Amino acid sequence: MDFVITFSENEKAFVAKVSGDIDAYHSATFKQKIIEHMDNIDKKIIAVDLSEVSYIDSAGLGAIVSLIKESKKHEKEVVLLSLQNQIRRIFEMTKLDKIIRTEDTIEEV
């Protein structure tokens, strides 16, 4: 599967929908594309839809942690949406689920 990020907005959040793996090959692009939008949006919530991500490695986790740090500088919150079970387990094992908010759907944001 190709790595693609599409962007949209709704009344609650700026949404980045990710398709493909967030790994060493794609993590820098993932982080860069979302950070590029942080200055230009007025929404306080950046929802990252991971429903089409089936694999994430340590580089991908690092990119997400970097996004959290960067979002705080911009006074925004990153919320991860629709994590597949294997991705959710990785967040639980690494305890990242304690520092980043996850929701099942955009309506829960």
Side-chain angles (χ1 to χ4, degrees):
M1 174 186 277
D2 289 335
F3 182 79
V4 178
I5 303 177
T6 55
F7 298 98
S8 62
E9 285 189 45
N10 67 21
E11 65 281 352
K12 295 180 181 180
F14 178 78
V15 181
K17 183 172 180 65
V18 183
S19 299
D21 298 340
I22 305 175
D23 55 15
Y25 297 107
H26 300 113
S27 60
T29 302
F30 165 76
K31 181 174 79 172
Q32 176 191 358
K33 287 188 177 282
I34 295 174
I35 289 174
E36 284 173 1
H37 286 87
M38 279 190 194
D39 276 336
N40 304 326
I41 58 173
D42 59 355
K43 306 287 185 197
K44 292 292 182 191
I45 296 176
I46 299 168
V48 181
D49 182 341
L50 300 179
S51 61
E52 295 182 10
V53 174
S54 59
Y55 177 79
I56 188 167
D57 66 7
S58 59
L61 294 175
I64 289 174
V65 171
S66 292
L67 279 179
I68 295 167
K69 290 179 181 178
E70 193 67 27
S71 69
K72 290 181 192 288
K73 292 180 193 174
H74 293 271
E75 299 179 355
K76 299 187 187 310
E77 178 187 13
V78 173
V79 178
L80 302 181
L81 301 176
S82 305
L83 278 67
Q84 293 186 20
N85 287 335
Q86 65 269 28
I87 304 295
R88 186 175 303 281
R89 280 195 296 275
I90 290 169
F91 276 84
E92 290 168 354
M93 288 185 327
T94 59
K95 305 286 189 227
L96 286 174
D97 63 323
K98 305 293 185 213
I99 64 165
I100 188 165
R101 184 173 151 199
T102 62
E103 299 292 352
D104 291 329
T105 66
I106 189 69
E107 290 76 28
E108 297 174 47
V109 173

